[in-house]
Structure formats: structure tokens, C-alpha cells
Amino acid sequence: MTQQVNSNRQEVARHLMFVSGYVHRLLRHEARKLDLRWTALMVLKDLQLLGPVSQRTLAEIEQVTAPTMTVLINQMVQREWVDTESSAADARVSLVAITPAGRKALGKSGRRLRLRLEEELVGVPASDLDDLHQGLDALAAVIHGKVHNPKNTRPAQ
């Protein structure tokens, strides 16, 4: 039984690598067509979820250098998507916060990207969509648990 579970996990991982890579490239390309930098969208999403955070934290989350994040934040300030403010706890630390315009841009781009993904699903039979939905719900629940409990990173046996 364990061997079958491991084999299934390997096959799912193989397919998931292909699909996630394809989806990632597809959405990055779509974002470029909308004149949006992918990392800017990710930063807006981070700020929506986390609230105001330091540029250093954003750079760590997005795995970019501090100078790269500074350039990106400056561009986003110019577009009025984010504001920066000094931290109440440490005036040397600048916090970045999403603005109403940033929330609007994130919502608009999110809708467009979801529509593009829906186009990719045309032709998938309804029963397969139902199975996919259930599987993605299960995967999302596991990931959600890991995000909210980082010490729990071992896969279930």
C-alpha cells in the first residue's frame, strides 16, 4: 500500500510540475500583455494578505535582492499602488502598504488572469473538472496548513 501511495505521489508530482510551470509562464505572459510586472502583482498580493511590511520582508518573500525590491517599490509608488511609511517601532525601517489603487489593479488583473485560466480549461469534461476541483481543494488545504503552521512541513504518510 505504501509503495502504491509513493508511486501515486510521484506521478502527481510529475504532472503538477508540468502544469504549474505551464500555468506560471502563461500568467506571466498575460501579465506582461497587461503591462504588469509579475513580481509587482505578487507584492500586491503579499501586501493584501499581510498588511504593511518592510521592503526587506518583501524581498525575502519574493526572493529578490534588496536593490531590486527598492526599484520595484519605487515604480509601484509612482503608479500609486503602494505607499511607504516609517515603522512606529523603528523609524529606520520603511513599511510598504497597498493603496486603494493597488487593490483595484490587483482585482482587475486577478480577474483577467482567472479568465485566461478559464480559457485553458475549455474542453475539459465536467466530470474531470469536478475531480480536479476536489483534488485542488485537498492540495490547497494541505498548503494552507503549512503556510499557517510552517513547522508542519513533512508530508503526510
Side-chain angles (χ1 to χ4, degrees), residues 12-28 38 117 136 139:
V12 169
R14 186 175 64 79
H15 287 296
L16 192 55
M17 284 178 61
F18 169 74
V19 170
S20 63
Y22 178 82
V23 168
H24 181 76
R25 285 186 299 278
L26 177 81
L27 296 180
R28 283 180 68 110
W38 183 255
L117 279 177
L136 289 173
L139 180 59

Side-chain angles (χ1 to χ4, degrees), residues 91-109:
R92 297 170 296 173
V93 175
S94 178
L95 297 179
V96 182
I98 191 170
T99 64
R103 288 184 195 285
K104 184 176 178 181
L106 183 60
K108 181 180 178 183
S109 62

